[in-house]
């Protein structure tokens, strides 16, 4: 069988698995729909959290960024990894002990304000839609290349699958579907990495092969070879960074702090039966995440070496078939400017090849000439990564609308059945809008996701952190801080990415901070405004201060905590 046939087979099998799991675990109550009845085993929830966390940005785009940016691309690796540790240790257990379905629910009750709740709903929807756009683009890229359908058609197919198990199963269906998706995506990521590591370095462990010598040149290390190839072709040395230290810090911090404010990850810690189980679940998730994240730098280096050696200064007539297949998608473009028939891939003005960062993981097995089934397996893994996160985000959107906006705000008298219907309808509408954003994305996958993290850092993180650790923080400070932080960050991103993209360069950025890193300043602005406003306005009621104190007392950490609906 060829690559397309293998892709049809493997994608068909995995999609059938996802749908079967969704039917088996379909939600029958709002508790099932929002938090899977709080009955998920910590190890199972850890695996589902890892799948929810490792989106198309992690699977498709992170290694691509590192492959093209070298050391600068590692900011994404450090930010997302450190962010999860921050979330797991600093916030998740306390939020789980508070015992609410959603982040807006926490914000609304902690800050004793419907206004705070509604602002949090807006922030959750805004962040989630920004994030989900990247996932749907990832789905479109995979289908476009491996099933020979337009990107638009690929996104629509992905919409249909996500709609089915997110709307039918809710969090219960999503949780068990994500366990299956984790198994698919991690197997798909590791298999080609092991193959290529053996071919290039003779070591079956990619993490070790990445730092070792080449199989055919025992005296030359892989990264030294990559530095030399890059510099010969006019690129910057792979192991040297080009970004300013401040920008690297801000991007890393925005990704870390944004992680701690991402509502679709936080809600996963409500699906386990006890607070202690939330801590165990967080630890298992970190183990499952580390398997992929420690492999990504190796995949990036292998892909970069293979690309430079396979394509540069080679006759276009002799270019391998994979090159032409990716050309058909529009994600790889060759323009023979000097008419010599050679592909001039350089870091200077004479470059004739444009490569989309998002294709490197998918194209890597083809460039390395691995078996067709391995290439198809990577496609199935990419879809699993994108769809698992998309489902989690769509659930956040639906629960924010049905539970926080409708049940806790506009129509508090609706019964459970009506709330469940509202949640499913809002999830369906969210799928449609997410599909539109996937067809018309605001950037490449990891960049769009970085924007979402920046928005989360500048809006949710200060409100959640101070809501847990500051008895003095009141509703006025929280609301105004969230509005100011989100508005500043969104305005900065929109200005440089859409209004004046010609100015999107370090010399025009404020303090040299890129749109991907501006969320850190938005977060600091949020903290400053919230603290100042709270100091100038009345303290929270006594019962709220006692509630904050009780969240941090560990004496009930091992007991079940009932969630209020």
């Amino acid at each position: 069988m060829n690559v397309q046939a293998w892709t049809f087979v493997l994608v068909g099998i995995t999609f059938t698995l996802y749908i079967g799991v969704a039917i088996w675990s379909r939600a029958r109550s709002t508790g099932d729909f929002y938090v899977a009845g709080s009955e998920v085993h910590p190890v199972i929830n850890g695996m589902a959290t890892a799948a929810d966390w490792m989106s198309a940005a992690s699977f498709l785009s992170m290694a691509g960024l590192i492959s093209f940016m070298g050391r600068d691309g590692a900011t994404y690796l450090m930010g997302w990894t450190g962010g999860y540790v921050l979330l797991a240790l600093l916030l998740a257990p306390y939020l789980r002990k508070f015992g609410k379905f959603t982040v807006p629910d926490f914000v609304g009750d902690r800050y004793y304000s419907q206004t705070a709740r509604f602002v949090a709903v807006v922030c959750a929807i805004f962040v989630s839609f920004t994030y989900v756009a990247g996932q749907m683009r990832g789905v479109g890229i995979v289908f476009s290349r491996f099933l020979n359908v337009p990107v638009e058609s690929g996104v629509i197919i992905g919409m249909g699958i996500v709609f089915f198990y997110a709307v039918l199963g809710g969090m219960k269906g999503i949780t068990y579907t994500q366990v299956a998706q984790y198994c698919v995506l991690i197997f798909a990521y590791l298999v080609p990495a092991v193959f290529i590591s053996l071919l290039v370095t003779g070591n079956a462990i990619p993490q070790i092969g990445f730092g070792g010598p080449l199989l055919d040149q025992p005296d030359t290390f892989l990264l030294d070879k990559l530095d030399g190839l890059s510099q010969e072709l006019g690129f910057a040395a792979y192991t040297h960074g080009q970004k300013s230290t401040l920008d690297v810090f801000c991007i890393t911090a925005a990704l870390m702090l944004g992680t701690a404010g991402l509502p679709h990850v936080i809600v996963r810690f409500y699906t386990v039966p006890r607070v202690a189980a939330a801590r165990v679940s967080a630890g298992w998730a970190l183990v499952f995440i580390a398997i992929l994240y420690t492999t990504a730098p190796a995949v990036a280096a292998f892909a970069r070496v293979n690309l430079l050696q396979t394509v540069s200064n080679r006759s276009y007539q002799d270019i391998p078939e994979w090159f032409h297949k990716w050309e058909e998608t529009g994600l790889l473009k060759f323009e023979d400017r000097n008419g010599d028939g050679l592909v001039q891939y350089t870091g200077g003005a004479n470059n004739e090849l444009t490569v989309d960062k998002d294709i490197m993981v998918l194209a890597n097995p083809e460039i390395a000439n691995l078996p067709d089934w391995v290439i198809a397996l990577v496609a199935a893994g990419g879809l699993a990564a994108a769809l698992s996160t998309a489902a989690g985000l769509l659930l956040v959107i639906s629960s924010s609308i049905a539970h926080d906006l409708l049940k806790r705000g506009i129509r508090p008298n609706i019964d459970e059945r009506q709330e469940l219907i509202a949640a499913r309808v809002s999830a369906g509408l969210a799928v449609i809008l997410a599909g539109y954003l996937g067809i018309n994305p605001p950037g490449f996958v990891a960049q769009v996701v970085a924007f979402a993290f920046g928005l989360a850092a500048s809006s949710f993180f200060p409100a959640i952190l101070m809501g847990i650790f500051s008895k003095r923080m009141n509703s006025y400070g929280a609301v105004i801080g969230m509005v100011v932080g989100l508005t500043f960050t969104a305005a900065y991103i929109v200005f440089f990415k859409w209004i004046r993209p010609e100015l999107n360069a370090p010399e025009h950025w404020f303090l040299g901070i890129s749109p991907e890193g501006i969320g850190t300043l938005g977060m600091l602005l949020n903290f400053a405004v919230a603290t100042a406003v709270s100091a100038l306005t009345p303290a929270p009621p006594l019962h709220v201060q006692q509630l904050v104190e009780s969240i941090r007392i560990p004496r009930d950490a091992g007991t079940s905590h009932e969630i209020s609906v």
Side-chain angles (χ1 to χ4, degrees):
M1 293 193 295
N2 60 17
V3 173
Q4 188 174 20
W6 271 112
T7 304
F8 272 113
V9 170
L10 293 179
V11 170
I13 291 173
T14 55
F15 276 19
T16 302
L17 174 64
Y18 305 155
I19 291 172
V21 171
I23 294 173
W24 168 75
S25 58
R26 63 188 179 275
R28 301 183 185 277
S29 67
T30 52
D32 284 346
F33 194 89
Y34 293 138
V35 290
S38 295
E39 297 175 347
V40 180
H41 190 278
V43 177
I44 296 297
N45 192 57
M47 195 175 291
T49 303
D52 208 353
W53 174 238
M54 292 188 296
S55 64
S58 295
F59 190 98
L60 298 180
S61 201
M62 183 170 64
L65 279 171
I66 298 172
S67 182
F68 281 88
M69 299 171 65
R71 192 179 73 178
D72 285 341
T75 55
Y76 290 83
L77 183 67
M78 294 186 295
W80 286 331
T81 306
Y84 181 78
V85 175
L86 178 69
L87 170 64
L89 299 180
L90 185 65
L91 300 182
Y94 300 113
L95 289 172
R96 175 62 182 85
K97 188 176 180 183
F98 191 85
K100 294 298 178 181
F101 280 151
T102 65
V103 173
D105 221 5
F106 167 80
V107 171
D109 283 8
R110 163 59 183 85
Y111 293 112
Y112 51 95
S113 167
Q114 284 294 80
T115 301
R117 185 188 310 278
F118 292 151
V119 170
V121 168
V122 171
C123 291
I125 293 173
F126 197 76
V127 170
S128 297
F129 270 123
T130 304
Y131 199 168
V132 82
Q135 312 315 309
M136 300 312 293
R137 171 173 162 81
V139 172
I141 289 172
V142 174
F143 276 121
S144 174
R145 164 61 186 90
F146 293 103
L147 297 184
N148 291 329
V149 299
V151 172
E152 295 80 3
S153 300
V155 171
I156 291 171
I157 295 171
M159 286 168 56
I161 298 297
V162 173
F163 179 86
F164 186 86
Y165 68 77
V167 174
L168 176 68
M171 179 57 83
K172 188 174 181 180
I174 287 171
T175 294
Y176 292 103
T177 302
Q178 285 175 335
V179 171
Q181 288 169 328
Y182 176 81
C183 295
V184 172
L185 75 87
I186 202 66
F187 186 68
Y189 204 83
L190 292 178
V191 167
V194 170
F195 265 100
I196 297 173
S197 184
L198 281 169
L199 290 172
V200 176
T201 69
N203 196 311
I205 303 175
Q207 292 89 334
I208 298 176
F210 168 60
L214 298 171
L215 185 62
D216 57 350
Q217 300 177 36
D219 296 330
T220 304
F221 284 83
L222 173 66
L223 292 177
D224 290 334
K225 173 76 170 179
L226 190 47
D227 272 345
L229 284 172
S230 298
Q231 291 174 310
E232 287 173 12
L233 296 173
F235 296 100
Y238 187 80
T239 57
H240 293 173
Q242 301 297 308
K243 287 182 173 292
S244 69
T245 302
L246 179 60
D247 194 27
V248 168
F249 173 82
C250 287
I251 294 174
T252 304
L255 295 173
M256 286 183 63
L257 302 174
T259 303
L262 282 176
H264 78 291
V265 177
I266 290 173
V267 75
R268 289 235 57 94
F269 295 101
Y270 295 111
T271 63
V272 292
R274 294 179 299 276
V275 176
R279 295 180 184 274
V280 175
S281 175
W284 276 107
L286 188 58
V287 171
F288 293 129
I289 290 168
I291 296 173
L292 186 145
Y293 270 50
T294 56
T295 308
V299 171
F302 296 148
R304 187 67 172 169
V305 169
N306 286 335
L307 179 67
L308 294 179
Q309 290 183 327
T310 304
V311 171
S312 186
N313 292 319
R314 186 164 182 172
S315 170
Y316 184 71
Q317 301 302 320
D318 298 329
I319 285 289
E321 183 182 359
W322 68 264
F323 187 97
H324 301 295
K325 290 291 186 181
W326 279 106
E327 274 191 304
E328 293 172 6
T329 68
L331 299 173
L332 186 150
K333 299 176 183 178
F334 167 59
E335 181 183 359
D336 191 5
R337 295 178 178 176
N338 57 15
D340 64 356
L342 298 178
V343 179
Q344 304 289 336
Y345 185 39
T346 71
N350 297 323
N351 180 52
E352 299 176 340
L353 182 65
T354 302
V355 185
D356 191 295
K357 298 178 179 66
D358 291 335
I359 75 170
M360 290 306 294
V361 170
L362 295 173
N364 195 25
E366 294 181 282
I367 299 173
N369 200 28
L370 296 184
D372 290 345
W373 69 268
V374 177
I375 299 169
L377 180 64
V378 174
L383 290 171
L387 294 176
S388 62
T389 302
L393 291 165
L394 292 170
L395 185 69
V396 166
I397 294 169
S398 67
S399 60
S400 294
I401 294 173
H403 184 68
D404 299 309
L405 194 60
L406 196 63
K407 175 69 174 178
R408 300 298 303 274
I410 299 174
R411 295 187 59 192
N413 295 324
I414 61 172
D415 59 28
E416 182 172 307
R417 176 178 170 276
Q418 292 172 318
E419 184 182 351
L420 190 58
I421 291 172
R424 284 178 164 149
V425 170
S426 58
L429 295 175
V431 168
I432 295 172
L433 182 54
Y436 172 81
L437 293 173
I439 294 171
N440 302 281
F444 57 85
V445 175
Q447 186 183 51
V448 174
V449 171
F451 294 156
F453 277 67
L455 294 170
S458 63
S459 56
F460 278 131
F461 178 73
I464 294 172
L465 187 69
M466 292 187 290
I468 294 172
F469 294 102
S470 172
K471 291 191 293 183
R472 185 63 181 81
M473 182 55 56
N474 62 21
S475 60
Y476 303 102
V479 170
I480 296 174
M482 282 192 292
V483 171
V484 170
L486 182 68
T487 301
F488 169 79
T489 304
Y492 192 92
I493 293 171
V494 169
F495 178 81
F496 283 112
K497 299 304 296 184
W498 288 281
I499 297 178
R500 297 294 300 275
E502 70 275 10
L503 298 180
N504 190 21
E507 59 268 22
H508 299 295
W509 297 335
F510 178 68
L511 299 177
I513 301 173
S514 63
E516 290 82 0
I518 199 62
T520 298
L521 284 191
M523 178 269 299
L524 294 175
L525 189 61
N526 184 337
F527 269 120
V529 170
T531 301
V533 171
S534 291
L536 297 173
T537 50
L542 181 60
H543 75 276
V544 172
Q545 297 185 46
Q546 292 172 339
L547 173 65
V548 174
E549 191 70 33
S550 70
I551 293 174
R552 301 199 303 271
I553 297 175
R555 63 174 179 268
D556 296 324
T559 62
S560 177
H561 188 88
E562 183 179 352
I563 295 178
S564 59
V565 180

